[in-house]
Amino acid sequence: MARSHQIVIIGGGAAGISTAASLLRRNPDLDIAIVEPSTVHYYQPGFTLVGAGTDSLERMTRSEARYIPEGATWIQEAASGVRPGDNRVDLASGEELAYEHLVACPGVVLDWQRIEGLPDTLGTNGVCSNYAPETAPYTWQCVQDFTGGRAIFTQPPMPIKCPGAPQKAAYLAADYFRRHGVDAEVEFDLAAGKIFGVDFYVPALERVAESHGIQVNYQDHLVAVDGANRQATFEAVGEGEEPERVTRTFDLLHVTPPQSPPDWVKQSPLANENGYIEVDPTTLQHTRFDNAFALGDAGSTPNSKTAAAVRLQAPVVAGNLLARLEGRPFPGAYDGYASCPLTTRYGKVLNAEFTYGGKPVSTLPLEPRKERRLMWWINRHGLPMLYWNVMLSGREWLSGHRPRA
Ligand SMILES: Cc1cc2nc3c(=O)[nH]c(=O)nc-3n(C[C@H](O)[C@H](O)[C@H](O)COP(=O)(O)OP(=O)(O)OC[C@H]3O[C@@H](n4cnc5c(N)ncnc54)[C@H](O)[C@@H]3O)c2cc1C
């Protein structure tokens, strides 16, 4: 007979741990199992600082066991499928797990293989990426070793987690080169048609790129890398035009990989046509399976995929799931909040906060389009503290924000 739990959470990352902790704070008697194979938990927003040499990977890595909330059962395995019609999760070991309620939050996978030649050269030949813990330290090595020439930073088509992270890497590297007198031609090539998804922040960020002398190439996305010959091939994706391939040489190439939900999610009945877990954008309840909820990067909600978004989604899922258990109306509504602390140069951050529809908001009563030292400090020290000590323990602080424009 299948092992059974009242609530099964798939994924013990930012979303899974925050939701479990939030649920258990509300009701310590709940029977919750967290399916999570990893023994370590990363503070992924810190990877940008690892790539910039201002922080170490060790500081961004903690033991998963430390964050499994008291009272929850940790099933240290990977899910390999979900059968929501039968209320079952399949585990990689072949075992199946029965649930009354499901919270699905396994994050997204990094699709390195969708860029031809990339898996063979990533981590060598000046090809680096802040997106994985294995590769972020090499970014810092590449930046330090760069003696001049062309440094290319790429951004694939959306959605990706932390859409601001590719340009953060470019700004910090350009700033480092300038401070060290290195003659660099810095390029930012992005598949999108504008530098940031929220118009309110676009002029300020265009000015930041210009201040660094960065050449921004829109609708241009990386399709192949030849590491040994230091050549990157891009496809220009102008609307209504035939895609055109252009190959450029590089001395440093920082790649942001395309991303998507794990295959078993894409193939499950939980997925929408794009492979993401289809939930109502406000209640975070599945649109077809009432006893299932999803949040975080694998969810279909059209917010910016960030830990900041998860911080506000987790209490909504916890509150709504409990209400369903108790036959009450849903108390929680997610407004699409996300925040992207853009490291515009060493010591300065522009913190872009916004909700659904690209409506700018801010938590602090400060002009959000300004690069600030205070925000650098908050990003470097305050936000990791908020993550490890507040969010992952199910506390719901700093969830208020006010409209800006
Ligand atoms: C370079 C970089 C910079 C970023 N910068 C910021 C930032 O400045 N601000 C910000 O708010 N956010 C930032 N983010 C994004 C943020 O880290 C993610 O949005 C957030 O972690 C999403 O939470 P999640 O729980 O959905 O996914 P994750 O935190 O990735 O967790 C998913 C979990 O699911 C587990 N899992 C995977 N497969 C399975 C399976 N088959 N079965 C069970 N479990 C599974 C994984 O092991 C993992 O623990 C950044 C991310 C990166 C990579």
Side-chain angles (χ1 to χ4, degrees):
M1 211 172 80
R3 247 195 298 178
S4 162
H5 291 275
Q6 187 180 24
I7 300 169
V8 168
I9 298 180
I10 307 180
I17 297 293
S18 309
T19 307
S22 194
L23 280 162
L24 286 163
R25 263 184 190 276
R26 289 169 158 83
N27 180 352
D29 297 328
L30 292 169
D31 164 25
I32 300 179
I34 302 173
V35 181
E36 167 61 65
S38 176
T39 55
V40 293
H41 190 117
Y42 294 108
Y43 176 64
Q44 297 176 43
F47 293 173
T48 297
L49 300 179
V50 173
T54 59
D55 237 309
S56 68
L57 184 60
E58 291 70 42
R59 242 176 61 87
M60 307 305 158
T61 313
R62 295 197 182 170
S63 127
E64 177 74 10
R66 187 169 158 190
Y67 292 92
I68 301 285
E70 208 182 310
T73 304
W74 179 13
I75 297 174
Q76 205 187 328
E77 271 204 61
S80 59
V82 195
R83 287 174 283 132
D86 301 330
N87 296 334
R88 292 286 193 280
V89 173
D90 296 311
L91 301 178
S93 61
E95 200 192 338
E96 58 176 35
L97 211 55
Y99 61 80
E100 286 171 30
H101 281 85
L102 178 73
V103 179
C105 42
V108 287
V109 292
L110 305 174
D111 295 327
W112 305 108
Q113 76 291 349
R114 277 165 59 190
I115 297 171
E116 197 188 314
L118 179 61
D120 300 332
T121 192
L122 183 66
T124 57
N125 297 316
V127 182
C128 55
S129 178
N130 284 346
Y131 267 75
E134 304 79 31
T135 57
Y138 185 58
T139 303
W140 176 227
Q141 193 183 320
C142 290
V143 169
Q144 287 173 290
D145 292 349
F146 186 80
T147 51
R150 186 181 290 146
I152 301 183
F153 294 78
T154 72
Q155 180 178 299
M158 293 295 147
I160 58 168
K161 51 182 156 184
C162 195
Q167 62 189 282
K168 295 184 207 179
Y171 298 152
L172 290 169
D175 193 25
Y176 182 91
F177 300 149
R178 185 190 54 78
R179 285 167 191 253
H180 290 81
V182 176
D183 192 13
E185 197 186 313
V186 181
E187 227 181 84
F188 179 39
D189 295 271
L190 65 164
K194 56 186 177 181
I195 200 158
F196 197 68
V198 178
D199 288 342
F200 182 74
Y201 296 103
V202 166
L205 291 170
E206 284 174 348
R207 280 195 298 275
V208 170
E210 203 183 317
S211 74
H212 288 298
I214 295 174
Q215 165 73 41
V216 183
N217 298 323
Y218 297 101
Q219 297 186 317
D220 205 18
H221 87 101
L222 182 68
V223 291
V225 183
D226 174 353
N229 293 307
R230 304 235 169 186
Q231 293 197 326
T233 301
F234 293 85
E235 202 162 81
V237 285
E239 228 168 84
E241 292 166 21
E242 280 294 304
E244 192 188 317
R245 288 199 166 201
V246 184
T247 296
R248 290 198 284 280
T249 55
F250 64 83
D251 299 283
L252 184 162
L253 178 67
H254 178 275
V255 181
T256 299
Q259 295 156 40
S260 65
D263 285 345
W264 58 268
V265 169
K266 289 181 198 150
Q267 287 149 15
S268 85
L270 294 177
N272 67 10
E273 71 279 10
N274 300 318
Y276 289 85
I277 304 167
E278 188 171 341
V279 290
D280 178 278
T282 307
T283 64
L284 306 178
Q285 183 185 35
H286 199 274
T287 50
R288 281 166 277 118
F289 301 98
D290 285 356
N291 62 342
F293 292 80
L295 72 163
D297 295 348
S300 65
T301 52
N303 58 278
S304 176
K305 296 189 181 299
T306 55
V310 167
R311 187 160 59 78
L312 273 78
Q313 291 173 340
V316 171
V317 169
N320 289 352
L321 194 158
L322 266 189
R324 186 169 191 278
L325 270 173
E326 294 163 4
R328 291 183 283 111
F330 284 172
Y334 171 58
D335 64 1
Y337 175 84
S339 137
C340 189
L342 290 131
T343 47
T344 50
R345 56 200 85 232
Y346 283 86
K348 290 273 179 85
V349 160
L350 182 158
N351 190 29
E353 294 177 278
F354 44 92
T355 54
Y356 282 142
K359 295 193 192 85
V361 293
S362 50
T363 305
L364 300 176
L366 296 170
E367 162 57 51
R369 288 165 293 189
K370 207 165 147 26
E371 300 172 57
R372 291 179 193 277
R373 279 197 184 286
L374 170 69
M375 291 314 305
W376 174 273
W377 188 90
I378 290 176
N379 185 47
R380 167 105 169 65
H381 302 288
L383 294 180
M385 228 151 49
L386 186 70
Y387 183 82
W388 295 117
N389 302 333
V390 176
M391 179 172 154
L392 295 190
S393 63
R395 294 189 179 92
E396 290 153 29
W397 300 350
L398 286 179
S399 44
H401 42 263
R402 48 187 85 77
R404 290 307 305 191

